[in-house]
Short mmCIF file of all heavy atoms in Angstrom, two decimals:
data_model
loop_
_atom_site.label_atom_id
_atom_site.label_comp_id
_atom_site.label_asym_id
_atom_site.label_seq_id
_atom_site.Cartn_x
_atom_site.Cartn_y
_atom_site.Cartn_z
N ALA D 912 89.73 107.63 99.96
CA ALA D 912 91.12 107.90 100.33
C ALA D 912 91.41 107.48 101.77
O ALA D 912 92.53 107.08 102.09
CB ALA D 912 91.43 109.38 100.14
N LEU D 913 90.42 107.57 102.63
CA LEU D 913 90.63 107.31 104.06
C LEU D 913 90.45 105.84 104.44
O LEU D 913 90.94 105.41 105.49
CB LEU D 913 89.65 108.15 104.88
CG LEU D 913 89.89 109.66 104.89
CD1 LEU D 913 88.66 110.39 105.44
CD2 LEU D 913 91.12 110.01 105.70
N SER D 914 89.75 105.08 103.63
CA SER D 914 89.42 103.71 103.98
C SER D 914 90.63 102.79 103.90
O SER D 914 91.44 102.91 102.97
CB SER D 914 88.32 103.16 103.06
OG SER D 914 87.13 103.91 103.20
N ASP D 915 90.75 101.88 104.87
CA ASP D 915 91.81 100.89 104.81
C ASP D 915 91.35 99.68 104.01
O ASP D 915 90.26 99.67 103.43
CB ASP D 915 92.28 100.51 106.23
CG ASP D 915 91.22 99.76 107.03
OD1 ASP D 915 90.18 99.37 106.46
OD2 ASP D 915 91.43 99.57 108.24
N GLU D 916 92.17 98.63 104.00
CA GLU D 916 91.85 97.47 103.17
C GLU D 916 90.64 96.70 103.66
O GLU D 916 90.07 95.88 102.94
CB GLU D 916 93.06 96.53 103.10
CG GLU D 916 93.43 95.84 104.41
CD GLU D 916 94.30 96.70 105.31
OE1 GLU D 916 94.46 97.90 105.01
OE2 GLU D 916 94.80 96.18 106.31
N LYS D 917 90.19 96.99 104.89
CA LYS D 917 89.01 96.35 105.43
C LYS D 917 87.78 97.26 105.40
O LYS D 917 86.76 96.95 106.02
CB LYS D 917 89.28 95.89 106.86
CG LYS D 917 90.35 94.82 106.96
CD LYS D 917 90.55 94.36 108.40
CE LYS D 917 91.61 93.29 108.49
NZ LYS D 917 91.81 92.85 109.90
N GLY D 918 87.89 98.38 104.67
CA GLY D 918 86.75 99.28 104.54
C GLY D 918 86.46 100.06 105.81
O GLY D 918 85.31 100.41 106.07
N ARG D 919 87.51 100.39 106.58
CA ARG D 919 87.34 101.12 107.82
C ARG D 919 88.02 102.48 107.74
O ARG D 919 89.01 102.65 107.01
CB ARG D 919 87.93 100.33 108.99
CG ARG D 919 87.35 98.93 109.15
CD ARG D 919 88.09 98.15 110.23
NE ARG D 919 89.51 98.05 109.95
CZ ARG D 919 90.37 97.40 110.73
NH1 ARG D 919 89.94 96.81 111.84
NH2 ARG D 919 91.66 97.34 110.42
N VAL D 920 87.50 103.42 108.51
CA VAL D 920 88.08 104.76 108.57
C VAL D 920 88.43 105.05 110.03
O VAL D 920 87.64 104.77 110.94
CB VAL D 920 87.09 105.83 108.05
CG1 VAL D 920 87.65 107.23 108.25
CG2 VAL D 920 86.78 105.59 106.57
N TYR D 921 89.60 105.62 110.23
CA TYR D 921 90.02 106.02 111.56
C TYR D 921 89.54 107.45 111.81
O TYR D 921 89.80 108.34 111.01
CB TYR D 921 91.54 105.91 111.70
CG TYR D 921 91.99 104.47 111.60
CD1 TYR D 921 92.22 103.89 110.36
CD2 TYR D 921 92.10 103.69 112.73
CE1 TYR D 921 92.58 102.56 110.25
CE2 TYR D 921 92.46 102.35 112.64
CZ TYR D 921 92.70 101.79 111.40
OH TYR D 921 93.04 100.48 111.30
N VAL D 922 88.83 107.63 112.92
CA VAL D 922 88.21 108.92 113.21
C VAL D 922 88.75 109.45 114.54
O VAL D 922 88.76 108.74 115.55
CB VAL D 922 86.68 108.81 113.29
CG1 VAL D 922 86.06 110.19 113.56
CG2 VAL D 922 86.11 108.24 111.99
N ARG D 923 89.19 110.68 114.52
CA ARG D 923 89.66 111.36 115.72
C ARG D 923 88.59 112.35 116.16
O ARG D 923 88.21 113.25 115.41
CB ARG D 923 90.96 112.10 115.43
CG ARG D 923 91.61 112.75 116.65
CD ARG D 923 92.73 113.68 116.22
NE ARG D 923 93.53 114.15 117.34
CZ ARG D 923 94.22 115.28 117.32
NH1 ARG D 923 94.21 116.05 116.24
NH2 ARG D 923 94.93 115.64 118.37
N TYR D 924 88.11 112.18 117.39
CA TYR D 924 87.11 113.09 117.96
C TYR D 924 87.81 114.07 118.89
O TYR D 924 88.44 113.67 119.87
CB TYR D 924 86.05 112.30 118.73
CG TYR D 924 85.24 111.36 117.85
CD1 TYR D 924 85.69 110.08 117.57
CD2 TYR D 924 84.05 111.79 117.27
CE1 TYR D 924 84.96 109.22 116.75
CE2 TYR D 924 83.32 110.95 116.45
CZ TYR D 924 83.79 109.66 116.19
OH TYR D 924 83.06 108.82 115.37
N LEU D 925 87.72 115.36 118.56
CA LEU D 925 88.31 116.40 119.40
C LEU D 925 87.31 116.71 120.52
O LEU D 925 86.27 117.30 120.28
CB LEU D 925 88.61 117.65 118.57
CG LEU D 925 89.57 117.45 117.39
CD1 LEU D 925 89.84 118.77 116.69
CD2 LEU D 925 90.86 116.79 117.82
N LYS D 926 87.65 116.31 121.73
CA LYS D 926 86.70 116.37 122.84
C LYS D 926 86.87 117.61 123.71
O LYS D 926 85.90 118.15 124.22
CB LYS D 926 86.84 115.12 123.71
CG LYS D 926 86.56 113.82 122.96
CD LYS D 926 86.61 112.61 123.87
CE LYS D 926 85.42 112.60 124.84
NZ LYS D 926 85.41 111.36 125.66
N ARG D 927 88.11 118.06 123.91
CA ARG D 927 88.30 119.23 124.78
C ARG D 927 89.59 119.94 124.41
O ARG D 927 90.64 119.31 124.27
CB ARG D 927 88.34 118.80 126.24
CG ARG D 927 88.35 119.98 127.23
CD ARG D 927 88.13 119.52 128.66
NE ARG D 927 89.21 118.66 129.12
CZ ARG D 927 89.08 117.37 129.35
NH1 ARG D 927 87.93 116.76 129.14
NH2 ARG D 927 90.11 116.64 129.77
N ALA D 928 89.51 121.27 124.28
CA ALA D 928 90.69 122.09 124.01
C ALA D 928 91.24 122.64 125.32
O ALA D 928 90.48 123.00 126.22
CB ALA D 928 90.34 123.25 123.09
N ARG D 929 92.55 122.69 125.42
CA ARG D 929 93.18 123.33 126.58
C ARG D 929 93.23 124.84 126.39
O ARG D 929 92.97 125.60 127.32
CB ARG D 929 94.59 122.79 126.78
CG ARG D 929 95.33 123.41 127.96
CD ARG D 929 96.69 122.77 128.15
NE ARG D 929 96.56 121.35 128.42
CZ ARG D 929 97.60 120.54 128.63
NH1 ARG D 929 98.83 121.03 128.59
NH2 ARG D 929 97.39 119.26 128.87
N ALA D 930 93.59 125.27 125.18
CA ALA D 930 93.71 126.70 124.90
C ALA D 930 93.58 126.94 123.40
O ALA D 930 93.91 126.08 122.59
CB ALA D 930 95.05 127.24 125.40
N VAL D 931 93.08 128.13 123.06
CA VAL D 931 93.03 128.58 121.66
C VAL D 931 93.96 129.79 121.56
O VAL D 931 93.81 130.76 122.30
CB VAL D 931 91.60 128.96 121.24
CG1 VAL D 931 91.59 129.53 119.82
CG2 VAL D 931 90.68 127.75 121.33
N TYR D 932 94.93 129.71 120.64
CA TYR D 932 95.95 130.74 120.56
C TYR D 932 95.75 131.73 119.44
O TYR D 932 96.19 132.87 119.53
CB TYR D 932 97.33 130.09 120.45
CG TYR D 932 97.81 129.55 121.78
CD1 TYR D 932 97.65 128.21 122.10
CD2 TYR D 932 98.36 130.39 122.73
CE1 TYR D 932 98.06 127.71 123.32
CE2 TYR D 932 98.77 129.91 123.96
CZ TYR D 932 98.62 128.57 124.25
OH TYR D 932 99.00 128.09 125.47
N ASP D 933 95.12 131.30 118.35
CA ASP D 933 94.81 132.30 117.34
C ASP D 933 93.68 131.82 116.45
O ASP D 933 93.40 130.63 116.34
CB ASP D 933 96.05 132.69 116.51
CG ASP D 933 96.49 131.65 115.49
OD1 ASP D 933 95.78 131.47 114.49
OD2 ASP D 933 97.54 131.05 115.70
N VAL D 934 93.00 132.79 115.89
CA VAL D 934 92.03 132.58 114.82
C VAL D 934 92.52 133.41 113.64
O VAL D 934 93.02 134.52 113.83
CB VAL D 934 90.60 133.01 115.25
CG1 VAL D 934 90.06 132.08 116.32
CG2 VAL D 934 90.57 134.45 115.75
N SER D 935 92.38 132.87 112.44
CA SER D 935 93.04 133.51 111.30
C SER D 935 92.23 133.43 110.02
O SER D 935 91.79 132.34 109.64
CB SER D 935 94.39 132.85 111.04
OG SER D 935 95.29 133.04 112.09
N PRO D 936 92.04 134.57 109.34
CA PRO D 936 91.66 134.48 107.93
C PRO D 936 92.86 133.92 107.17
O PRO D 936 94.01 134.33 107.41
CB PRO D 936 91.40 135.94 107.54
CG PRO D 936 91.31 136.70 108.83
CD PRO D 936 92.15 135.96 109.80
N VAL D 937 92.62 132.95 106.28
CA VAL D 937 93.73 132.31 105.58
C VAL D 937 93.48 132.28 104.07
O VAL D 937 92.34 132.15 103.62
CB VAL D 937 93.99 130.88 106.10
CG1 VAL D 937 94.52 130.91 107.52
CG2 VAL D 937 92.74 130.02 106.02
N THR D 938 94.55 132.38 103.33
CA THR D 938 94.46 132.38 101.87
C THR D 938 94.23 130.97 101.33
O THR D 938 93.39 130.75 100.47
CB THR D 938 95.76 132.96 101.26
OG1 THR D 938 96.03 134.23 101.86
CG2 THR D 938 95.61 133.12 99.75
N PHE D 939 95.00 130.01 101.85
CA PHE D 939 94.90 128.62 101.39
C PHE D 939 94.72 127.69 102.58
O PHE D 939 95.67 127.44 103.33
CB PHE D 939 96.17 128.21 100.62
CG PHE D 939 96.37 128.96 99.34
CD1 PHE D 939 97.43 129.84 99.22
CD2 PHE D 939 95.52 128.78 98.27
CE1 PHE D 939 97.63 130.54 98.05
CE2 PHE D 939 95.71 129.47 97.09
CZ PHE D 939 96.77 130.35 96.97
N PRO D 940 93.51 127.13 102.76
CA PRO D 940 93.34 126.11 103.79
C PRO D 940 94.17 124.88 103.44
O PRO D 940 94.24 124.51 102.27
CB PRO D 940 91.85 125.79 103.74
CG PRO D 940 91.22 126.92 103.00
CD PRO D 940 92.27 127.42 102.05
N ALA D 941 94.79 124.28 104.45
CA ALA D 941 95.63 123.11 104.19
C ALA D 941 95.69 122.23 105.41
O ALA D 941 96.32 122.56 106.39
CB ALA D 941 97.04 123.54 103.79
N TYR D 942 95.06 121.06 105.33
CA TYR D 942 95.07 120.14 106.46
C TYR D 942 96.38 119.38 106.57
O TYR D 942 96.58 118.61 107.48
CB TYR D 942 93.92 119.14 106.34
CG TYR D 942 92.61 119.72 106.78
CD1 TYR D 942 91.63 120.06 105.86
CD2 TYR D 942 92.36 119.95 108.12
CE1 TYR D 942 90.43 120.61 106.26
CE2 TYR D 942 91.16 120.50 108.54
CZ TYR D 942 90.20 120.82 107.60
OH TYR D 942 89.02 121.37 108.01
N SER D 943 97.32 119.61 105.65
CA SER D 943 98.60 118.92 105.73
C SER D 943 99.43 119.35 106.93
O SER D 943 100.44 118.75 107.25
CB SER D 943 99.40 119.15 104.45
OG SER D 943 99.59 120.52 104.21
N GLN D 944 99.00 120.39 107.63
CA GLN D 944 99.75 120.86 108.79
C GLN D 944 99.32 120.17 110.08
O GLN D 944 99.56 120.67 111.17
CB GLN D 944 99.60 122.38 108.93
CG GLN D 944 100.22 123.13 107.77
CD GLN D 944 100.14 124.63 107.96
OE1 GLN D 944 100.14 125.14 109.06
NE2 GLN D 944 100.07 125.35 106.86
N THR D 945 98.71 119.02 109.98
CA THR D 945 98.35 118.24 111.15
C THR D 945 99.60 117.92 111.96
O THR D 945 100.64 117.61 111.43
CB THR D 945 97.69 116.92 110.72
OG1 THR D 945 96.53 117.24 109.97
CG2 THR D 945 97.28 116.10 111.93
N SER D 946 99.49 117.98 113.29
CA SER D 946 100.65 117.82 114.15
C SER D 946 101.06 116.38 114.33
O SER D 946 100.31 115.44 114.04
CB SER D 946 100.35 118.41 115.53
OG SER D 946 99.45 117.56 116.22
N THR D 947 102.26 116.19 114.85
CA THR D 947 102.72 114.84 115.17
C THR D 947 101.98 114.28 116.37
O THR D 947 101.96 113.08 116.59
CB THR D 947 104.23 114.83 115.45
OG1 THR D 947 104.54 115.80 116.45
CG2 THR D 947 105.01 115.15 114.18
N THR D 948 101.36 115.16 117.18
CA THR D 948 100.51 114.67 118.27
C THR D 948 99.38 113.83 117.71
O THR D 948 99.09 112.73 118.19
CB THR D 948 99.92 115.85 119.07
OG1 THR D 948 100.98 116.60 119.67
CG2 THR D 948 98.97 115.36 120.16
N ALA D 949 98.72 114.33 116.67
CA ALA D 949 97.64 113.58 116.04
C ALA D 949 98.17 112.31 115.40
O ALA D 949 97.54 111.25 115.46
CB ALA D 949 96.94 114.45 114.99
N LEU D 950 99.34 112.40 114.78
CA LEU D 950 99.92 111.22 114.13
C LEU D 950 100.24 110.13 115.15
O LEU D 950 100.03 108.95 114.89
CB LEU D 950 101.19 111.61 113.37
CG LEU D 950 101.80 110.52 112.49
CD1 LEU D 950 100.81 110.09 111.41
CD2 LEU D 950 103.09 111.01 111.86
N ARG D 951 100.73 110.51 116.32
CA ARG D 951 101.01 109.52 117.35
C ARG D 951 99.72 108.82 117.78
O ARG D 951 99.71 107.62 118.02
CB ARG D 951 101.68 110.19 118.55
CG ARG D 951 103.16 110.48 118.34
CD ARG D 951 103.85 110.78 119.66
NE ARG D 951 103.31 111.99 120.29
CZ ARG D 951 103.78 113.20 120.07
NH1 ARG D 951 104.80 113.38 119.25
NH2 ARG D 951 103.26 114.25 120.68
N GLY D 952 98.63 109.58 117.89
CA GLY D 952 97.36 108.98 118.25
C GLY D 952 96.91 107.98 117.20
O GLY D 952 96.38 106.91 117.52
N LEU D 953 97.12 108.33 115.93
CA LEU D 953 96.78 107.41 114.84
C LEU D 953 97.62 106.14 114.92
O LEU D 953 97.12 105.04 114.73
CB LEU D 953 96.99 108.11 113.49
CG LEU D 953 96.67 107.28 112.24
CD1 LEU D 953 95.21 106.88 112.21
CD2 LEU D 953 97.04 108.07 110.99
N ASP D 954 98.90 106.30 115.20
CA ASP D 954 99.77 105.14 115.36
C ASP D 954 99.25 104.20 116.43
O ASP D 954 99.20 102.97 116.26
CB ASP D 954 101.19 105.58 115.74
CG ASP D 954 102.00 106.00 114.52
OD1 ASP D 954 101.45 105.95 113.40
OD2 ASP D 954 103.16 106.38 114.71
N GLU D 955 98.85 104.77 117.56
CA GLU D 955 98.41 103.94 118.68
C GLU D 955 97.15 103.15 118.34
O GLU D 955 97.03 101.97 118.64
CB GLU D 955 98.18 104.81 119.92
CG GLU D 955 99.45 105.36 120.53
CD GLU D 955 100.43 104.27 120.91
OE1 GLU D 955 99.99 103.28 121.54
OE2 GLU D 955 101.61 104.39 120.58
N ILE D 956 96.18 103.81 117.71
CA ILE D 956 94.94 103.11 117.39
C ILE D 956 95.20 102.04 116.34
O ILE D 956 94.60 100.96 116.35
CB ILE D 956 93.84 104.10 116.92
CG1 ILE D 956 92.48 103.41 116.86
CG2 ILE D 956 94.16 104.73 115.59
CD1 ILE D 956 91.90 103.05 118.19
#
């Protein structure tokens, strides 16, 4: 699902957090809530 037409995957390495605001038990994990900050980084690469 992640591979492009050249067989490559774009990988984001989280190197440093500025702050952690909450930790949560959750009923349904869902990575669809990725921020537009991450999307902008994907656009640039």
Side-chain angles (χ1 to χ4, degrees):
L913 291 166
S914 298
D915 67 9
E916 67 276 10
K917 295 182 180 180
R919 304 174 303 181
V920 174
Y921 294 86
V922 181
R923 185 191 190 205
Y924 296 86
L925 301 183
K926 300 184 70 175
R927 188 170 63 250
R929 179 177 299 180
V931 176
Y932 284 97
D933 75 71
V934 292
S935 295
V937 292
T938 308
F939 295 112
Y942 280 107
S943 56
Q944 295 183 29
T945 301
S946 72
T947 53
T948 297
L950 188 61
R951 283 195 297 270
L953 180 62
D954 278 0
E955 290 303 313
I956 191 70

